[in-house]
Amino acid sequence: MNLTILLLALVASVAASTGDYSPQFQECVRNQFTQRCSSSVRLPLNLRLFLWTCEDECKYHCTHIITDEAIREGRRIEQFYGKWAFWRFFGMQEPASVAFSLMNLWAHTKGGRLLKRRIPKEHPMKPFYYGFTLVNINLWIWSSVFHTRDKPWTEKMDYFSAGLGSMYGLWYTVVRLYHLYLQPRLLVHNTPSRRRLLAPWTSLCILLYLAHVTYLCLLPRFDYGWNMKVNLIIGMLYNSLWISYSLSSPPFQRFWRVPNAIRPSFVLYPAMIAISMICAVSLEIFDFPPWWRIIDAHSLWHLATVPIVWNWYRFLLKDSLDPSWRDRLIT
């Protein structure tokens, strides 16, 4: 928990932005608005398609004007409205983050097709993994939309989709590792079914997610700190569970009715992937002004998750094709 608090403090320290509050920026926006925003001014089609207004255009140019001055004078480069000054592309505010989000979308699409093609249809975890793919496809679509244009509604959809991805990750992790997928027909006589625990566990996750979203929607201002804490705690929970999968004595049976002393050849995969994901998230903490005003730490985080996502699907496939499933559960 101390580590969690430290991470949150570090993230909060780098997330703060002061550039848009500076008198120089405010003066620049007023001057730009006077020069650019007459009634006869019409923005190019590509900017109108992405919902840019004349005021947005003024703010965009002023972020670069103030950043240019800071570089010339050797001052610290500031963020504006929580973001660095990025060069846009065809109206997209953060083109690198958009591109890397689409790469994650591709990785999940390809990984989902791999599982659909290779995992037997009788496998009890197949529908849960199909849901995992759909939830993450939705997540990366909204990430792409948000990084294309930062609007209050695109921001909320991005954050709520990420929250859904985190909650679903914890949900299916518990289902898989504690064998809540088991149905009576898959069990020997007089063995109690764990399937009865699936409904209450699912209901709890749904209620927690809805309570989280409702709380954030009812606030007069979006509580970024609360949202970050919730997602970080959930992410650490299910990453810890998967890391324990690789241990010699995890707090569950890796495979139903198979002793943990029998370790599959891929047993270290989840720990390595989970640790890689934690390292990738650390890019969010050690933020820096974007290289060439295109690539920042946040976009690199999205880039780093692409091979992690693909390797995770490869692990899920290996885990699903282990002989223990065929011998004991799949009929």
Side-chain angles (χ1 to χ4, degrees):
M1 185 57 69
N2 290 335
L3 175 61
T4 302
I5 295 171
L6 175 60
L7 290 173
L8 291 171
L10 287 171
V11 172
S13 69
V14 300
S17 62
T18 57
D20 46 295
Y21 290 107
S22 67
Q24 295 88 346
F25 179 79
Q26 298 294 333
E27 178 69 19
C28 176
V29 172
R30 286 193 292 269
N31 293 337
Q32 288 282 320
F33 190 85
T34 301
Q35 297 171 15
R36 294 173 177 270
C37 298
S38 64
S39 58
S40 60
V41 170
R42 188 173 176 82
L43 294 177
L45 177 61
N46 64 305
L47 297 183
R48 286 184 279 121
L49 284 174
F50 289 109
L51 307 179
W52 286 82
T53 65
C54 190
E55 183 180 357
D56 294 333
E57 182 76 353
C58 296
K59 292 177 179 177
Y60 169 78
H61 286 286
C62 284
T63 60
H64 288 287
I65 290 171
I66 300 300
T67 299
D68 288 339
E69 291 177 355
I71 293 173
R72 282 197 304 269
E73 297 172 8
R75 293 186 283 109
R76 187 182 70 171
I77 297 175
E78 300 284 357
Q79 290 187 336
F80 304 87
Y81 306 103
K83 296 180 180 291
W84 302 106
F86 291 98
W87 295 121
R88 68 189 174 196
F89 176 73
F90 199 74
M92 292 184 290
Q93 280 182 277
E94 301 174 67
S97 289
V98 173
F100 299 153
S101 294
L102 291 174
M103 289 171 65
N104 278 278
L105 174 62
W106 169 82
H108 278 285
T109 302
K110 185 175 180 180
R113 289 175 177 171
L114 175 69
L115 298 188
K116 183 179 180 180
R117 185 175 67 252
R118 298 284 304 279
I119 296 179
K121 64 180 181 179
E122 301 87 0
H123 198 290
M125 282 301 298
K126 188 167 187 176
F128 298 97
Y129 293 156
Y130 183 67
F132 169 75
T133 299
L134 293 180
V135 165
N136 280 280
I137 285 175
N138 172 74
L139 186 163
W140 290 108
I141 287 174
W142 282 111
S143 176
S144 304
V145 171
F146 170 63
H147 290 303
T148 297
R149 280 297 277 131
D150 182 356
K151 294 285 188 180
W153 64 275
T154 62
E155 179 185 60
K156 285 186 173 64
M157 290 305 298
D158 178 47
Y159 286 158
F160 293 160
S161 297
L164 179 61
S166 295
M167 184 58 75
Y168 191 95
L170 178 61
W171 177 72
Y172 92 88
T173 295
V174 171
V175 171
R176 163 61 187 89
L177 298 182
Y178 290 94
H179 312 291
L180 305 191
Y181 53 80
L182 290 171
Q183 300 184 45
R185 67 178 179 83
L186 301 175
L187 302 172
V188 298
H189 185 61
N190 291 331
T191 302
S193 172
R194 295 193 180 185
R195 185 79 174 195
R196 71 185 187 278
L197 301 176
L198 180 59
W201 170 238
T202 302
S203 299
L204 176 62
C205 290
I206 292 173
L207 288 174
L208 288 175
Y209 176 72
L210 292 178
H212 171 66
V213 171
T214 302
Y215 169 75
L216 290 173
C217 289
L218 292 178
L219 292 174
R221 295 187 63 182
F222 194 90
D223 191 338
Y224 296 96
W226 168 262
N227 183 66
M228 191 179 301
K229 290 175 186 176
V230 170
N231 283 286
L232 185 58
I233 290 171
I234 292 174
M236 291 183 70
L237 280 174
Y238 72 77
N239 274 300
S240 297
L241 286 171
W242 282 113
I243 289 173
S244 67
Y245 179 103
S246 301
L247 302 179
S248 57
S249 299
F252 46 77
Q253 281 185 308
R254 294 188 196 90
F255 299 100
W256 181 245
R257 299 178 65 83
V258 177
N260 283 329
I262 301 176
R263 293 164 58 85
S265 60
F266 50 84
V267 70
L268 295 180
Y269 274 41
M272 292 188 295
I273 294 171
I275 292 171
S276 297
M277 181 61 77
I278 293 170
C279 292
V281 172
S282 68
L283 287 167
E284 285 286 274
I285 300 171
F286 304 106
D287 200 7
F288 54 83
W291 301 331
W292 316 291
R293 300 193 201 179
I294 299 174
I295 299 174
D296 69 333
H298 184 78
S299 64
L300 288 177
W301 170 39
H302 289 339
L303 178 62
T305 57
V306 176
I308 295 173
V309 165
W310 177 242
N311 280 302
W312 184 249
Y313 277 100
R314 291 178 61 195
F315 161 71
L316 291 179
L317 179 61
K318 289 177 180 292
D319 178 78
S320 300
L321 297 182
D322 188 86
S324 301
W325 294 95
R326 183 180 64 252
D327 296 343
R328 297 177 181 272
L329 295 178
I330 301 176
T331 57

